[in-house]
Each structure stands twice: as C-alpha cells, then as structure tokens.
Amino acid sequence: MLAWGVGRFSSLLGWVDMFLRLLRAFGRRRDGSVSVVSAMMLPILITMVGMVAEYGNGLLQKVEDQRVADAAAFAAATAYNANPANSLTSAVDQAAAVNGLPSSDIAAALVASPSGDGNNAIRVTVTTSQSLLLSKIMSNTRSSLSITATSYAELKGGAPGCIIALNAAGTGVTLSGGTSITAAACAVASDATVTSSCGTTITTIAVDYNTSLSECTTPNSIAPPTGKSLTLTKSAVSDPLAGNSTVSSLVARLATGSISGSATSTGVKGIVSPTITAPPTGLDVAFKNNTASLPAGCTDVWNSGTATHTVTCTGNGPFNFGAITERGGENIYISATGAAPVFNFSGLLNFSSNSMAFGPGTYNMGAGLDNSSGGGSMYFSAGTYNIAAGNFSCDSSNSFSICNVGTSMTFGVTPPSGVPTGVSSIVTAGAVTMTTGGGIFNSGGYTMTLGTGSTNSFELGKATNGDSFAQGGGATTVFGDATGSGDVFVAAGNIDVNNGGGSCLTVSAATEHDINGYFSSAGGTTMGSGIYTIYDYFALGPNNGGDVTCGGTLLGLYAYNVSMVVGGATTTTNSDSFYMGAGYSKVTLVAPTSGTSANMAVIGPQSGSAGAALTEGASDADVSGAFYFPTEAVSLNGGSSMGSIGSSQCLMVIGSQVTVAQGAALGTTCTGVGTSAGSSVVLVQ
C-alpha cells in the first residue's frame, strides 16, 4: 500500500511551490527588506527541498520494499503449497538475500486471508529504515524514516493431500458403516473414486478424485469444517513420496544395506546367527554342599550356615570351566581379582540354585545358559557375553542360548536391596555387550534385564523355531539402550511375544534395529527410538493380547522418535505387513522430526499386496508421520481408529486404496504433503 507516501509527497511539493512563488514575488521588489526576508527564508527553503528529496527517496524505497514483499510472499506460499513442512522463514530469507536485504528486515507468517473467503494466506512484512539528513533541520529528534511494506499471498483452491489412494484400478477412498475421516486442513485424494455412503462423514477442505465422487446428500456426507470452504477437483492424483530419497534409502536396507556387527551382511535379509568361537575344554564343576574342585587359579570357600559357595579366581585368567551343575538350594558367587578377567565355560551352565552371581569380565559360554529348572535369581555384572546356542529344551526348541525359567535374570544391573551380601559385593552395573548363537527366551511371569546405561550392544542369533527373542505371558524384559558408537541391535530371527499376553517388553533405543524376521507382540511394548527395519511384518495382537500395565502405566505400544520399515517377505495370516488388533487402545507411534528418517512413521512394502490393517476394536492409535503403503491397501474396520496426536504433529496415510468401515475412524491434524490438483497461490493485498 503506497497511499501514505503519495499523500505526504504531494503535500511537500505544495509547500515547496508556495515558497518558490513567494521568493519570486520578493525578487521583483527593490527595497532592503528583500535581502532580509530572503535570508530568513533560505534555510526554510533548503529544509523543505531536503524533505522533498528524502521523503521522495522514501517513497521509492517503499515501492522497492513492496516488490520484495510480493515476491517473497508468493515464493513462500508456493513452497508451502508443495510441502507445508517447508520453512516459511527459509523461503523469505532467500528472497531477502537475492534483493540485498538482511533477514532481520523480513518476516513471514501463516494467517487467515484478508479476503475473508476462509482460505489461509502467507503474510510477508518487509521493514527497512532510511537515514534523514537535511530534514533534521526541522526536527532534530528524528534521524531516520521507518518504511514498511506488507503482502498477502492466499492459498486458494485445493489443499495438500494427506489421505491418499494411489491405485487408479482400485476402490479408492471408501467409507461405509458409520465411519468417518477428518482432515480439516488437508485434502482427501484418490486416483480412483471417493465414496462416502450415508451414515459416514468426510470432513475436509478439499477432495480430489480421478474417476467419480459418490456421497450421501441428505445431508451431505462430505463437508468442510466450520468456517471453511470445500473444493472438489476431478483430476489424476500422484504419489507425493514417489522417488523420495529418504524412502529409497530406508527400503534399500532390507536387501542391500550394509549391516554391521560380528556377522556382517548385505541387507537385513542376509543376517544370520553369529558364530560363537568354542572356548577351550575346561574342568566340569559340581557344587554339592562342600568345597568344589575348580580350575587352576580359582578357590572355593564353602559356608554351610548360609549354603554359599564363594569362588574367587586370581588375576585375569583365562579361567577354563567345563559344565556347571549344583545340588539345588545353594548360593554360588564367582568373581576374579583382575581388572579384565576372562571366564570360559565349555559346558552347559544349568542352575536351580537360590541365587547365583558373576563378577565383571568377559564370559565365553560354549553350550548356553539354562535356568530352566525353576531356580532362583541370577545376576551377571556389566561385561561381554558370548553365548553359543545350547542343546537343551526351551520353549519347544533346542537351540536357545539363554533360557530363563527362574525368578529373574539380570545383566549389568545393580542388585536390588535385600539380596545376600555376596551378590551385591561382586555384581557391577553398567553396559552389556551380548552376542548369542541362538535365541533368548524369558518364560511367563519372570523378569529379565539386559544392561543399563546407553552403551549396550546386542547381536542375537535365532533358535530352530526362528525366534531371536521370545517371551511368555506375564513376563517382563528390558534391553538396555544401544546408542553408543559402534553399538548395534541386530536379530537374525523374530522378536516374538505373540504368546506373551500380559507381558511387557522394552527394546533398546538404537540408531538402527535390524530384524531378519517378524516383530509380533501380544503384550505391552516400548520401542526405543531409532529405525526398525523388519524383513517380514509388524503385528500387535494378531492372535490375542492387548494393553498391559507396565511400570504402573497402561501400555499397548509406545514408540517415540521411531520409524518402521516392513518388508512383507512373510505376512500375518490375513496377509498384512502391519497389523493392529483387538485389545489395543493405548498406542503411540511418532516419527522423528529430524535425522535420516524424519517424518517417516511406517514404510510398507514397495511392491506386492501385503497391506496394513487396524481391526477388531484397535482404537485411539496416535500415529504421526507418513504411513506409506503405495502398492498395498490400508484398511480400518471393526471400531478401530487412527489419528495424529495434535497440531504439532502430522499423520499422512498413503495406500493403494484406503478403506474405512464398520464404525472405524481416521483423522489427521496434518496440513499434508504434496500438492492437490486445484491448489494455487494468488496475491490478494
């Protein structure tokens, strides 16, 4: 707006013209008063001319600022339309730099359009300052002139899509049976049809469809939110994430990515069980209510009053044990005096003792660790554990490395208060580096903790049943975080809590979680932050289970700053690569907002038909980020629901087709990604 500048400039020109006419009149006189008057008026005239010149320059600067504001508003609005995640500040700062303005002189904001038509607009304000010199003669308190220009670029027509069906030959976006889609700030788009039968509702500001639109008209089942308008556009719909480099790199890890660890592989599909080097044959030790015979360098002190064996080995060893057996009802404590001792066990460690504790060190176990006789608690210090697959029966398999059917088994955890003095005196808390040739099993009702702190590392083989980790009903397992340099979380097989209804599982935070199998849970699951690349499928409650109280909080799934990539090599019985079933109403899955997987919640298979399903009462799933199944169907039914948590987060659902049926609901507060066919940018002020 330039009216203020034109008005002031015209007024100043009028004053100058008046003074010039007075001077000409005095110039025609010949008396002495002319010189006096001329001398008096000359400074005033100089000041007025200065004001004309400086305010004229201000008017020119105003025109230039308005040009910059218009260009910046249009550029920022265009960038926002393409992807609302684009920074308005970045767009206008670039416009300022091109025009030689500092970023401090320009500002942008998303506001309601001044046109009053219900659309949003990008408002850009440019504020500059011009120094005053001659004009200061009239006013020595004002040294500069502030110049402001404002522009509004309205986001007209369509809106970015956030519920998108891509298959032109599919059923598109379909609602039936008392269902709803709420997308108050983005478009619902289909490259086929959009169908909203009577009893269903779509609340949105835009609908894009390529073949047909079908809605109930008594009343209209498709309507805008209050105070907004609805745009209907018939046109082809494209995939906004097609060719996205982030998606490509995440999916590539399934088959061609470099997987680090002792058993390096090309792609998650190539992960195999680590090979555990067999330790040297050692001396079999039997603890039988008396002093036991031990390997060289180790001594046993027997306390009949407390039924305790205290084994102390001098130095760092290595100390070569064979198999360990005991009568039962005893306490056995083994430690060494060296700073970095090595313990080798060539035979099976099989216990039914009251308690057993191991001091810090490196432990090489050639035949596995079995606490399947219903023994007491086992405590292992911080250290390195290389445990081969055993040949004992555990969870209907004979190749688990660790089998816990005792009260508890902990690694690298401070013993709780009340344990015998012998336990607390030798067990140290801290990080655990664990490599297993077979799987790990924690039986129902028992607890297992693997490491504390943030620098643990896990490479898990698999048992003959395909499980790298399995858990029974009512059990609790915690894997310590693996976020240190070189730490990994690698599994050659399944993370299987499918028979663990009522159980609680916490998985490490790690940069990458590479799982050559499926991840299935019937209990409460906390997924530590990071990327989960799962070769098969992810499922909550495919057969049974549901929310569980874990640590005093009702939990189905909590996955914050998590991205999942599911390959769909094998699927659930319903042919899904992502599944959430009955009993799950406490689900939070929030994608990272920065880093290599920013804004990606779940990336499904990029070919085939292994889709995503929420069914049978799986309700209130709070999901933020892209939920991307470009060649597979996404379906919600049976009263299930999925939506984003709040305005600061965003759910974008992309599938070959999107079906919402049988009382289900799908909602997002997202402003979308990608541009709908009808979107445009218009300068309105």
Side-chain angles (χ1 to χ4, degrees):
M1 301 296 291
L2 303 178
W4 73 270
V6 173
R8 292 191 178 189
F9 191 57
S10 298
S11 177
L12 288 171
L13 288 176
W15 277 99
V16 171
D17 181 64
M18 181 185 72
F19 277 109
L20 288 174
R21 283 188 280 108
L22 285 172
L23 284 175
R24 284 195 295 269
F26 278 114
R28 288 192 292 270
R29 297 183 62 176
R30 296 291 184 264
D31 55 35
S33 62
V34 173
S35 298
V36 174
V37 172
S38 297
M40 293 175 59
M41 295 187 66
L42 184 59
I44 299 175
L45 178 61
I46 293 172
T47 301
M48 296 302 294
V49 171
M51 292 177 66
V52 170
E54 290 176 339
Y55 276 86
N57 286 338
L59 181 58
L60 293 176
Q61 184 63 49
K62 174 76 172 182
V63 173
E64 175 64 16
D65 289 353
Q66 189 67 50
R67 182 187 66 80
V68 175
D70 290 344
F74 192 88
T78 301
Y80 183 87
N81 245 358
N83 185 350
N86 288 330
S87 168
L88 296 180
T89 300
S90 176
V92 298
D93 282 354
Q94 290 180 17
V98 168
N99 289 276
L101 291 179
S103 59
S104 58
D105 287 356
I106 195 166
L110 179 67
V111 298
S113 174
S115 67
D117 61 4
N119 290 326
N120 287 328
I122 304 299
R123 181 187 66 205
V124 171
T125 302
V126 175
T127 303
T128 59
S129 179
Q130 180 175 296
S131 298
L132 298 177
L133 299 174
L134 293 173
S135 302
K136 290 179 66 177
I137 298 173
M138 292 290 290
S139 174
N140 59 12
T141 61
R142 186 173 187 180
S143 60
S144 64
L145 176 66
S146 179
I147 302 169
T148 301
T150 302
S151 182
Y152 291 83
E154 184 174 314
L155 307 170
K156 297 185 73 69
C162 56
I163 308 294
I164 304 174
L166 296 173
N167 186 359
T171 59
V173 177
T174 305
L175 283 75
S176 62
T179 61
S180 67
I181 288 179
T182 302
C186 59
V188 175
S190 169
D191 208 34
T193 62
V194 174
T195 303
S196 179
S197 61
C198 292
T200 69
T201 60
I202 297 178
T203 303
T204 185
I205 57 175
V207 174
D208 299 339
Y209 60 96
N210 195 20
T211 56
S212 64
L213 174 67
S214 176
E215 66 170 318
C216 185
T217 58
T218 54
N220 285 16
S221 58
I222 303 176
T226 302
K228 299 286 186 178
S229 59
L230 174 64
T231 300
L232 303 177
T233 304
K234 189 177 188 301
S235 64
V237 172
S238 60
D239 181 355
L241 294 180
N244 182 280
S245 60
T246 297
V247 173
S248 298
S249 64
L250 291 174
V251 172
R253 193 171 182 86
L254 286 164
T256 61
S258 177
I259 311 302
S260 62
S262 61
T264 58
S265 68
T266 301
V268 170
K269 72 173 184 179
I271 298 172
V272 297
S273 297
T275 299
I276 305 299
T277 302
T281 301
L283 176 67
D284 291 341
V285 177
F287 294 100
K288 297 181 178 180
N289 294 332
N290 55 23
T291 301
S293 297
L294 299 173
C298 299
T299 59
D300 177 21
V301 176
W302 164 248
N303 186 324
S304 60
T306 59
T308 299
H309 294 271
T310 301
V311 176
T312 304
C313 299
T314 302
N316 289 318
F319 307 107
N320 298 323
F321 292 77
I324 300 290
T325 58
E326 46 85 30
R327 184 184 299 274
E330 299 170 297
N331 302 302
I332 302 170
Y333 309 139
I334 300 176
S335 63
T337 61
V342 175
F343 295 91
N344 294 318
F345 296 89
S346 59
L348 175 65
L349 277 72
N350 186 0
F351 302 104
S352 59
S353 59
N354 284 342
S355 64
M356 189 162 190
F358 293 81
T362 296
Y363 289 81
N364 302 307
M365 302 180 184
L369 173 59
D370 181 20
N371 192 19
S372 62
S373 299
S377 299
M378 301 186 72
Y379 304 93
F380 296 84
S381 293
T384 298
Y385 294 86
N386 303 305
I387 309 174
N391 191 27
F392 49 87
S393 178
C394 181
D395 194 34
S396 302
S397 181
N398 63 353
S399 56
F400 279 91
S401 289
I402 300 176
C403 186
N404 180 42
V405 191
T407 303
S408 67
M409 184 180 291
T410 63
F411 291 78
V413 177
T414 301
S417 59
V419 301
T421 302
V423 173
S424 58
S425 64
I426 67 170
V427 174
T428 62
V432 167
T433 297
M434 180 172 287
T435 305
T436 66
I440 298 175
F441 177 69
N442 188 23
S443 186
Y446 301 117
T447 62
M448 179 180 288
T449 306
L450 305 170
T452 54
S454 59
T455 58
N456 304 280
S457 191
F458 302 96
E459 291 183 73
L460 309 180
K462 63 179 179 180
T464 53
N465 65 0
D467 291 344
S468 284
F469 173 78
Q471 180 162 278
T476 297
T477 301
V478 176
F479 286 86
D481 289 343
T483 56
S485 176
D487 293 341
V488 299
F489 188 98
V490 176
N494 310 316
I495 305 299
D496 185 2
V497 196
N498 197 35
N499 294 316
S503 67
C504 300
L505 170 64
T506 298
V507 180
S508 314
T511 302
E512 301 279 357
H513 304 76
D514 297 307
I515 302 168
N516 188 12
Y518 59 74
F519 191 126
S520 183
S521 176
T525 303
T526 298
M527 300 177 76
S529 62
I531 302 169
Y532 289 73
T533 307
I534 304 168
Y535 195 64
D536 293 331
Y537 63 85
F538 177 85
L540 296 178
N543 299 316
N544 53 53
D547 299 336
V548 181
T549 299
C550 299
T553 300
L554 189 63
L555 173 67
L557 173 70
Y558 184 81
Y560 196 84
N561 285 335
V562 163
S563 295
M564 285 189 210
V565 182
V566 290
T570 64
T571 65
T572 66
T573 55
N574 294 321
S575 299
D576 296 309
S577 58
F578 182 95
Y579 178 88
M580 193 171 79
Y584 282 91
S585 62
K586 297 296 181 181
V587 172
T588 298
L589 172 57
V590 178
T593 57
S594 61
T596 57
S597 64
N599 303 317
M600 300 297 171
V602 182
I603 306 300
Q606 303 297 287
S607 62
S609 58
L614 283 76
T615 186
E616 300 173 1
S619 60
D620 297 328
D622 290 325
V623 181
S624 293
F627 194 85
Y628 185 49
F629 289 76
T631 66
E632 300 84 28
V634 177
S635 64
L636 289 81
N637 60 57
S640 61
S641 61
M642 179 167 67
S644 52
I645 294 173
S647 59
S648 62
Q649 288 145 333
C650 163
L651 168 66
M652 180 178 68
V653 176
I654 301 176
S656 64
Q657 57 194 42
V658 179
T659 303
V660 187
Q662 301 173 5
L666 176 59
T668 176
T669 57
C670 186
T671 50
V673 174
T675 305
S676 81
S679 62
S680 61
V681 174
V682 177
L683 292 175
V684 292
Q685 274 193 18

